[in-house]
Amino acid sequence: MGSGQWHVERRSTLRNDSFVKESGSAPETGCLSIAVLGASGDLAKKKTFPALFNLFRQQGFLNPDEVHIFGYARTKLSDEELRDRIRGYLVDQKNAEQAEALSKFLHLIKYVSGPYDSEEGFQRLDRAISEHEISKNSSEGSSRRLFYLALPPSVYPSVCKMIKTCCMNKSDLGGWTRIVVEKPFGKDLESAEQLSSQIGELFDESQIYRIDHYLGKELVQNMLVLRFANRFFLPLWNRDNIENVQIVFREDFGTEGRGGYFDEYGIIRDIIQNHLLQASVSEIIFMTTEPSIKVLCLVAMEKPISLKPEHIRDEKVKVLQSVVPITDEEVVLGQYEGYRDDPTVPDDSNTPTFATTILRIHNERWEGVPFILKAGKALNSRKAEIRIQFKDVPGDIFRCTKQGRNEFVIRLQPSEAMYMKLTVKQPGLEMQTVQSELDLSYGQRYQGVSIPEAYERLILDTIKGDQQHFVRRDELKVAWEIFTPLLHRIDKGEVKSIPYEPGSRGPKEADQLLEKAGYLQTHGYIWIPPTL
């Protein structure tokens, strides 16, 4: 079976599953209403609506006979004005085929304006949704309602209260109501728990989907398959064979003239969220490392007893519970030179644009293996990757350790790939060794296969009721417990940012920390993505 044929058949299977009740029993007959709250904001325009459009157009998961989309925000707009606002973010206007699909998709969108803390606006939203449900001949309470909060976390409690008061479906009649909330989920342990409690008083945990778009990336989703479906990884994935693990998120650009804005909001990988946040230095560091923490769980967790979402999330929590307190000696913060030249940035700003943190997991599998989380702006490259470095070969008769260790690299972006760095004989008459790779590059191997964007996958999971790739409340709590003591020390100015040159690897102290942790940098080897 060719890759294209596999894609079509798999898509068909998923589409049949996409409207199945959480129990996995019978298909649901009620229509689907998706409400995007904050519909006039950047996040909705750049991520949420494009993801919905791709599910509608490319993947075929949103059936126009069943689904309707509602935008809600304070801005007073007509239906057509909202459609005009998002139109340019969805397709190339010159593409006739896409233009036809776009017209059909935009026709599914209605707009309701209103405040986020008043019942009047949400009552109007409820009436609009109910009219759609009646038009689709859905029996009362049998339809499905999904509320996507593309909003600042500060308004989550009031919005959730309005949804609970005005817009709930009757789950006892076969329907459901679910909410999707974007990170950040608080700024420290106390605020995160307060936010969780406020939302938890209104909705069951099964109704809450805390979205982290990195968990929707193709290569991140592949981690469970890689680890637990391949025999040769099982005996190697432990402290006896692995020297260290790096999880890296790097950007090759700085604040791009938005220094004052950045100084308030911080180094957050999800740049499109910046307009939503009011960040302290604590949030800056946590948001720098938060995607890494979620990926770390997948790298370090034990095999779950099944693929049920709760079994997988149980194992993630166990990993976080095994992390020992972070010491200041294993943290390096940096700020690139020139950052404070922006007149909107305070002259004495300590806001970090770079952070390297070492986490240590106290359990039988990982005792002594450093997990290095690294992220920064204005560095020498843009990439996100997981790098598992293996120990030196004992009794190395080829004396090739200087060339570098074996590494397994999972490249999340750009150019999604997985490759093994290994030592081979260099072609020729002499016995000389060189580093090469066994390479699975997605663009080359899966030609013609559409790789979905993270938001597409996660929205579809929400519709299906699959919480595997969403953050559970206890997982969030333990993650904050790990970082809050350090964050409070940073807030007090006890940990300072070190200057580094733009376009470099970051502060030299970070490389020294990696070397101290046992990471051996490879010199002279560069991975080159295969050409098609």
Side-chain angles (χ1 to χ4, degrees):
M1 181 184 299
S3 60
Q5 183 181 355
W6 176 91
H7 178 61
V8 170
E9 293 188 4
R10 176 60 178 155
R11 184 175 64 187
S12 175
T13 301
L14 285 176
R15 183 161 57 245
N16 292 335
D17 290 343
S18 65
F19 296 116
V20 173
K21 298 180 69 172
E22 288 183 67
S23 63
S25 54
E28 299 175 357
T29 57
C31 62
L32 172 65
S33 299
I34 301 174
V36 180
L37 307 177
S40 60
D42 281 355
L43 174 60
K45 291 186 297 185
K46 296 179 180 178
K47 293 296 179 181
T48 313
F49 283 117
L52 291 171
F53 178 60
N54 285 335
L55 286 174
F56 171 80
R57 178 180 66 90
Q58 293 183 340
Q59 310 298 341
F61 291 118
L62 297 184
N63 186 339
D65 294 329
E66 295 181 332
V67 69
H68 214 73
I69 300 169
F70 300 85
Y72 184 93
R74 289 180 295 224
T75 308
K76 292 190 179 298
L77 298 170
S78 66
D79 294 349
E80 197 57 40
E81 285 173 329
L82 175 63
R83 294 165 184 168
D84 288 340
R85 282 195 175 199
I86 66 176
R87 190 186 307 269
Y89 294 95
L90 302 182
V91 298
D92 180 357
Q93 301 293 319
K94 298 179 181 179
N95 188 311
E97 180 183 352
Q98 290 186 357
E100 181 180 355
L102 176 63
S103 177
K104 293 179 180 179
F105 175 76
L106 292 176
H107 186 70
L108 300 177
I109 299 175
K110 292 184 65 67
Y111 182 73
V112 179
S113 66
Y116 296 123
D117 57 357
S118 168
E119 291 187 13
E120 182 183 358
F122 283 86
Q123 287 170 349
R124 288 197 299 271
L125 177 61
D126 180 65
R127 284 196 296 271
I129 295 174
S130 297
E131 289 173 3
H132 161 63
E133 293 169 346
I134 293 171
S135 72
K136 297 298 182 182
N137 298 318
S138 292
S139 58
E140 182 182 5
S142 68
S143 60
R144 295 152 290 161
R145 296 185 175 188
L146 171 62
F147 295 88
Y148 193 113
L149 277 59
L151 294 165
S154 59
V155 301
Y156 286 173
S158 63
V159 169
C160 289
K161 183 178 180 181
M162 292 300 103
I163 294 173
K164 181 70 173 180
T165 303
C166 304
C167 301
M168 293 293 288
N169 212 346
K170 298 179 180 180
S171 59
D172 59 326
L173 297 178
W176 50 250
T177 302
R178 296 172 186 152
I179 64 168
V180 178
V181 295
E182 286 271 357
K183 65 181 185 178
F185 316 116
K187 62 181 181 181
D188 56 17
L189 177 59
E190 181 180 358
S191 61
E193 276 294 281
Q194 181 180 10
L195 184 60
S196 292
S197 296
Q198 290 171 328
I199 299 177
E201 290 173 358
L202 301 167
F203 297 98
D204 296 334
E205 184 67 21
S206 62
Q207 296 175 297
I208 304 170
Y209 289 72
R210 301 174 186 87
I211 194 169
D212 183 335
H213 77 282
Y214 262 97
L215 296 184
K217 288 188 175 294
E218 182 69 29
L219 271 295
V220 173
Q221 299 233 324
N222 211 344
M223 279 301 303
L224 291 183
V225 178
L226 287 172
R227 287 199 52 199
F228 302 123
N230 292 290
R231 184 69 177 87
F232 56 81
F233 277 135
L234 294 177
L236 298 178
W237 213 263
N238 54 48
R239 63 189 179 93
D240 295 329
N241 298 286
I242 294 177
E243 180 68 28
N244 54 74
V245 177
Q246 274 198 75
I247 303 171
V248 179
F249 295 89
R250 306 164 66 97
E251 292 178 336
D252 57 2
F253 54 88
T255 54
E256 306 297 328
R258 296 157 57 90
Y261 190 75
F262 177 85
D263 202 74
E264 179 182 359
Y265 294 97
I267 180 169
I268 302 172
R269 290 297 305 179
D270 306 334
I271 300 302
I272 45 85
Q273 291 190 54
N274 279 357
H275 69 293
L276 304 179
L277 311 180
Q278 294 179 347
S280 65
V281 174
S282 293
E283 290 175 286
I284 292 165
I285 302 306
F286 187 72
M287 291 302 156
T288 300
T289 52
E290 187 182 11
S292 304
I293 297 171
K294 305 304 189 301
V295 174
L296 177 147
C297 290
L298 295 172
V299 173
M301 63 184 279
E302 298 297 321
K303 182 188 290 186
I305 61 175
S306 79
L307 290 177
K308 291 182 178 179
E310 289 311 302
H311 292 159
I312 294 173
R313 299 204 292 180
D314 285 344
E315 296 303 329
K316 292 180 182 179
V317 172
K318 290 178 185 178
V319 171
L320 295 177
Q321 290 173 332
S322 300
V323 175
V324 302
I326 302 169
T327 64
D328 292 352
E329 291 72 25
E330 294 194 318
V331 176
V332 172
L333 306 181
Q335 183 186 95
Y336 68 83
E337 295 172 353
Y339 170 73
R340 285 183 283 184
D341 291 346
D342 189 317
T344 62
V345 173
D347 292 338
D348 59 349
S349 172
N350 186 49
T351 299
T353 60
F354 174 97
T356 293
T357 306
I358 294 178
L359 297 188
R360 297 186 181 274
I361 300 173
H362 181 60
N363 64 18
E364 182 178 6
R365 181 180 295 273
W366 297 114
E367 184 73 38
V369 179
F371 283 75
I372 303 162
L373 314 184
K374 183 175 181 179
K377 299 183 74 68
L379 298 176
N380 60 350
S381 63
R382 172 185 174 268
K383 64 181 176 181
E385 67 180 18
I386 307 163
R387 185 174 296 268
I388 292 95
Q389 187 172 88
F390 291 88
K391 293 181 178 293
D392 292 330
V393 175
D396 178 19
I397 60 174
F398 296 102
R399 303 290 191 269
C400 55
T401 300
K402 62 181 180 180
Q403 293 175 346
R405 294 169 171 155
N406 294 149
E407 291 183 350
F408 178 43
V409 181
I410 304 169
R411 192 178 182 97
L412 308 180
Q413 68 176 32
S415 304
E416 295 97 333
M418 295 179 288
Y419 60 95
M420 287 283 298
K421 287 173 57 178
L422 68 166
T423 301
V424 297
K425 178 187 176 297
Q426 181 169 301
L429 296 176
E430 297 183 359
M431 178 57 71
Q432 294 185 347
T433 59
V434 66
Q435 281 215 320
S436 187
E437 68 280 321
L438 298 175
D439 195 324
L440 168 58
S441 293
Y442 271 52
Q444 184 184 51
R445 178 63 178 86
Y446 300 113
Q447 297 179 44
V449 176
S450 175
I451 298 178
E453 293 291 332
Y455 278 96
E456 297 171 35
R457 187 190 310 276
L458 295 176
I459 290 174
L460 180 61
D461 282 349
T462 305
I463 296 171
K464 294 166 60 179
D466 185 347
Q467 292 187 310
Q468 173 182 333
H469 301 111
F470 294 82
V471 183
R472 199 168 66 185
R473 179 175 176 176
D474 55 347
E475 179 183 350
L476 177 66
K477 180 176 183 291
V478 178
W480 274 119
E481 287 175 343
I482 293 169
F483 278 92
T484 292
L486 170 64
L487 301 180
H488 286 172
R489 295 196 297 274
I490 295 170
D491 285 339
K492 295 175 184 177
E494 296 174 5
V495 184
K496 299 292 186 181
S497 294
I498 302 169
Y500 65 94
E501 183 179 349
S504 67
R505 289 173 50 84
K508 64 180 185 303
E509 288 82 354
D511 282 337
Q512 293 168 357
L513 177 61
L514 266 61
E515 185 177 352
K516 181 180 178 182
Y519 173 68
L520 181 64
Q521 184 179 353
T522 301
H523 296 282
Y525 169 87
I526 299 176
W527 175 72
I528 301 175
T531 56
L532 297 179

